[in-house]
């Protein structure tokens, strides 16, 4: 089924096809590594991950490039404040970002590229723009993009810049539309700032040129898709289009897909409102990475997501419900044979799941399709209507689901452990609302899934041998590790508290 996506450029939902057979060449704007990533950033990264996974499930191969912005205004300012080099400053946050990606089970793009490792290419790109009259050099050695020469400026953000003062300039990387001016491509060195010596002189690149250059270098003149958060539409992506199309004369990206930003507890996230959370803050407050991933993934990317702590709790119980359902299928006792009604449920879920994701990545409807199946199969199993041969197609639906959502395997404990160790090392445990012991108690247990299965098997063996003292001891041991064991008529089920 063909994937349909909302293209910000055409302002329409369009059918997506790559230029070249089954290869999708896509670029997503990565983090600016000046701080720890917050939950708003990760909404966009989770959206990109869901799209990646669905493209692969649909049979595409990916060449996905993500940049690391490791030089920009904020980084230079912060590094100077701390008296360290830009490289020293960004290393820590890049590492933290890569760990955060793992915490949220985000797939690694095929290529992650750093701005500072592609500076000569940026200088050459700017020289090319100057040659064509799209860039000019100011007296101090900075270079600017001449937007009066690019009449299509504004076509992505749908903003009208008519009547704008020609030749006025803006130096900062981030600005609003009222401030749209000739923007800096290259910034001459200021005292105390990092700079590079290049063919166009000394200085450092502006933020926007980084993405134009690295996207072209690694993916070619025209990308299939360019992704990012909606906050990047203007000026960042508008400027990328101007730079790239001015140089190559070709469309820069066929599809521009943007994730909406989120609200936290109904309000715009801000440090002053006290509702600003990094991913690490949320884990230290006692929320599992799988719940956070599930919540971020569950609202379709174009809808505003209201991120609440109540929502996180619900997400945790949804994940638990799915894990229990899977366990029931895997460990329950079912009579031989098959029931056509169950086969039909599995098929409907499988088709709906794909159709809803193909429809502009409607993750909410895709989840609804899976939960409809879970509810009906659970009811049928309670009534003894599920048969042995029904199990594989049901499990196949869960596999299909988890290739996209990736929450069924319980990988939370080691991730939480790593964040606790980090917090302790950084002396950052103040953010832990419940104290370290409680975070451990509610979230982690030292026993792996495999360890739990082994203990349960031992307990079963003890019970069969009528050694109830031993079986009770194992049950107590499991309880201490936060594992709840339930004996049902379908066999033993377990879950983490
Ligand atoms: Zn970018």
């Amino acid at each position: 089924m063909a994937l349909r996506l909302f293209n910000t450029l055409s302002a329409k939902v369009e059918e997506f096809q790559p230029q070249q057979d089954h290869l999708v060449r896509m670029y997503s704007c990565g983090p600016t590594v000046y701080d720890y990533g917050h939950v708003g950033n990760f909404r966009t990264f989770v959206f990109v991950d869901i799209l990646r996974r669905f493209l692969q499930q649909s049979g595409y191969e990916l060449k996905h490039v993500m940049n690391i912005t490791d030089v920009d205004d904020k980084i230079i300012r912060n590094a100077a404040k701390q008296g360290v080099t830009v490289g020293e400053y960004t290393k820590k946050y890049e590492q933290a970002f890569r760990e955060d990606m793992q915490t949220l089970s985000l797939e690694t793009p095929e290529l992650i590229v750093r701005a500072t490792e592609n500076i000569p290419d940026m200088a050459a790109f700017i020289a090319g723009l100057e040659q064509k009259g799209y860039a000019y050099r100011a007296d101090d050695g900075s270079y600017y993009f001449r937007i009066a020469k690019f009449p299509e400026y504004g076509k992505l953000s749908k903003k009208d810049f008519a009547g704008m003062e020609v030749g006025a300039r803006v130096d900062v990387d981030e600005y609003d539309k009222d401030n749209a001016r000739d923007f800096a491509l290259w910034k001459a060195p200021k005292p105390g700032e990092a700079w590079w010596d290049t063919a166009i002189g000394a200085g450092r690149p502006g933020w926007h040129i980084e993405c134009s250059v690295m996207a072209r270098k690694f993916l070619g003149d025209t990308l299939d898709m360019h992704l990012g958060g909606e906050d990047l539409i203007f000026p960042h992506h508008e400027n990328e289009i101007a730079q790239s199309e001015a140089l190559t004369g070709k469309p820069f990206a066929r599809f521009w897909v943007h994730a909406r930003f989120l609200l936290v507890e109904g309000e715009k996230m801000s440090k002053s409102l006290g509702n600003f959370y990094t991913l690490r803050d949320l884990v230290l407050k006692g929320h599992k990475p799988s719940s956070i991933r599930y919540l971020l993934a569950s609202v379709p990317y174009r809808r505003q997501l209201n991120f609440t702590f109540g929502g996180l709790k619900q997400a945790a119980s949804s994940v638990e419900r799915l894990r229990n359902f899977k366990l029931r299928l895997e460990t329950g006792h079912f009579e031989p044979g098959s029931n056509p009604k169950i086969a039909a449920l599995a098929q409907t879920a499988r088709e709906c799941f794909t159709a809803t994701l193909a429809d502009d990545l409607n993750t909410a409807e895709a989840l609804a399709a899976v939960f409809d199946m879970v509810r009906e199969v659970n009811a049928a199993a309670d009534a003894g209507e599920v048969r042995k041969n029904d199990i594989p197609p049901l499990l196949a639906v869960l596999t299909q689901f988890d290739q996209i959502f990736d929450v069924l395997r319980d990988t939370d404990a080691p991730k939480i452990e790593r964040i606790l160790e980090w917090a302790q090392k950084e002396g950052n445990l103040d953010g832990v609302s419940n104290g370290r012991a409680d975070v451990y108690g509610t979230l982690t247990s030292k026993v792996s899934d495999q360890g739990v299965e082994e203990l349960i098997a031992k307990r079963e063996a003890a019970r069969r041998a009528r050694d109830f003292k031993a079986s009770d001891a194992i049950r107590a041991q499991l309880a201490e590790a936060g594992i709840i064991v339930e004996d049902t008529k379908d066999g033993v089920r377990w879950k983490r508290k």
Side-chain angles (χ1 to χ4, degrees), residues 279-352:
L279 175 63
R280 290 158 192 241
D281 291 336
L282 293 172
V283 173
L284 292 173
K285 277 180 165 298
H287 300 284
K288 293 182 184 184
S290 58
S291 319
I292 302 168
R293 177 178 166 89
Y294 183 94
L295 179 55
L296 292 177
S298 63
V299 175
Y301 74 96
R302 278 208 293 143
R303 217 183 286 162
Q304 189 147 52
L305 190 166
N306 185 17
F307 191 91
T308 66
F309 289 100
L312 269 177
K313 276 203 183 126
Q314 273 174 25
S317 78
S318 298
V319 170
E320 210 51 53
R321 198 154 164 241
L322 291 167
R323 288 179 184 172
N324 279 335
F325 178 71
K326 180 162 180 265
L327 196 69
R328 182 175 197 180
L329 297 182
E330 286 169 343
T331 59
H333 174 76
F334 302 99
E335 298 295 329
S338 56
N339 178 349
K341 190 184 124 189
I342 304 297
L345 284 175
Q347 191 180 342
T348 302
R350 193 169 60 235
E351 288 169 3
C352 268

Side-chain angles (χ1 to χ4, degrees), residues 27 29 67 207 211 226 232 236-237 240:
Y27 186 91
C29 292
N67 65 300
W207 172 34
C211 287
H226 195 310
L232 297 186
H236 185 53
H237 289 167
E240 284 189 36

Side-chain angles (χ1 to χ4, degrees), residues 3 102 128 177 197 208 274 286 297 353 384 426 473 475 491:
L3 170 61
Q102 285 173 14
K177 80 167 170 62
D197 198 14
H208 318 298
F353 187 80
E426 297 273 311
R475 190 187 185 108

